[in-house]
Amino acid sequence: MPGRKATRTSAARSRGPLGTVNAATVPLLVPAIREFRTGHPLTQVEVIGAQQAEIHRALLEGSLDLGIVNYLRGDDLPPDFHTTELLRGRPVVCLRPDGPLAARSEVPVTDLLTQPLIVMRSGYVMHRFVHRLLKGRTPSFSYSTDGAEMGKLMVAEGLGVTVLPDFSIIGDPLERSGTITYRPLAADRTDVLMVIQRRRSGSVPKAARDLHELFVRRAAAHRGAGEDGT
């Protein structure tokens, strides 16, 4: 699943959008925009949620300045964009703490198949990952949805479980409140990368460059906090 998000910044009369997948929201997006507003009080930031292909198209057209998207390790990166890695995580099972899989320290695929499974629509990285993970096997029941945020809400309501990058869940308000939690997938070592991209050709507005640097700086601090166990 991971999906994508876009952000548009518009300075007191300058505009620059940012596109982002939903999985980017928790660890970086809100804190970065909050800090950005402090240094750019006259700049309007427009955040646009979209799939990766839509974000790439908008970046090339110039209707987006920046895009935050997800990749699986080993994916080819498009040559038309300058790409900077922000975060690296693992796919995990997002579930309710009182759910039948919560007692496990990790979840085998065979157990995942016994639960109603909430999957991202085609076009999201996590849709591709789950398709590869299941190897043609089908769960007892499945839903299809757009993006991590809706998937987490459906889990919170007890409709099933979903598979998301761990950085999409850790620190989420639903996770902090104890409504949802997560467990690693057994025998899986896949890396999911969150990156920020901008087009290589053409000029990028200063506000967008500043926001780009802010995301990179915040991501480095986030990684450092994780390594320190804080």
Side-chain angles (χ1 to χ4, degrees), residues 6-190:
T7 302
R8 187 173 305 172
T9 56
S10 149
R13 328 337 154 181
S14 121
R15 194 161 210 128
L18 164 70
T20 174
V21 297
N22 289 314
T25 302
V26 175
L28 290 180
L29 186 62
V30 172
I33 290 178
R34 183 182 294 119
E35 183 177 344
F36 180 78
R37 286 292 305 274
T38 301
H40 298 76
L42 299 179
T43 300
Q44 174 187 337
V45 179
E46 182 178 352
V47 179
I48 302 167
Q51 291 189 348
Q52 181 174 315
E54 297 168 325
I55 289 176
H56 284 168
R57 183 166 54 250
L59 285 171
L60 290 173
E61 293 171 350
S63 56
L64 287 179
D65 293 329
L66 302 172
I68 297 177
V69 301
N70 295 329
Y71 289 96
L72 300 178
R73 183 178 59 178
D75 285 349
D76 293 330
L77 300 178
D80 294 326
F81 306 116
H82 179 276
T83 300
T84 302
E85 181 179 327
L86 297 176
L87 296 178
R88 183 176 294 228
R90 291 280 173 80
V92 295
V93 180
C94 177
L95 40 74
R96 284 181 57 93
D98 57 358
L101 300 182
R104 293 190 170 275
S105 59
E106 58 181 18
V107 178
V109 175
T110 50
D111 286 1
L112 187 65
L113 291 168
T114 66
Q115 303 300 306
L117 186 60
I118 301 160
V119 297
M120 301 301 111
R121 282 198 308 112
S122 177
Y124 289 93
V125 163
M126 296 312 293
H127 172 92
R128 178 158 54 92
F129 171 78
V130 169
H131 181 76
R132 187 175 75 185
L133 180 73
L134 299 186
K135 297 179 180 178
R137 293 168 289 183
T138 57
S140 61
F141 184 82
S142 65
Y143 305 89
S144 180
T145 190
D146 254 321
E149 300 310 309
M150 180 57 69
K152 286 180 284 190
L153 286 172
M154 293 174 71
V155 171
E157 291 297 321
L159 295 178
V161 302
T162 191
V163 178
L164 295 171
D166 54 7
F167 54 67
S168 172
I169 302 168
I170 299 171
D172 184 278
L174 291 171
E175 192 259 345
R176 294 200 308 266
S177 69
T179 307
I180 63 172
T181 187
Y182 64 95
R183 298 290 182 270
L185 282 161
D188 182 80
R189 296 295 179 267
T190 303

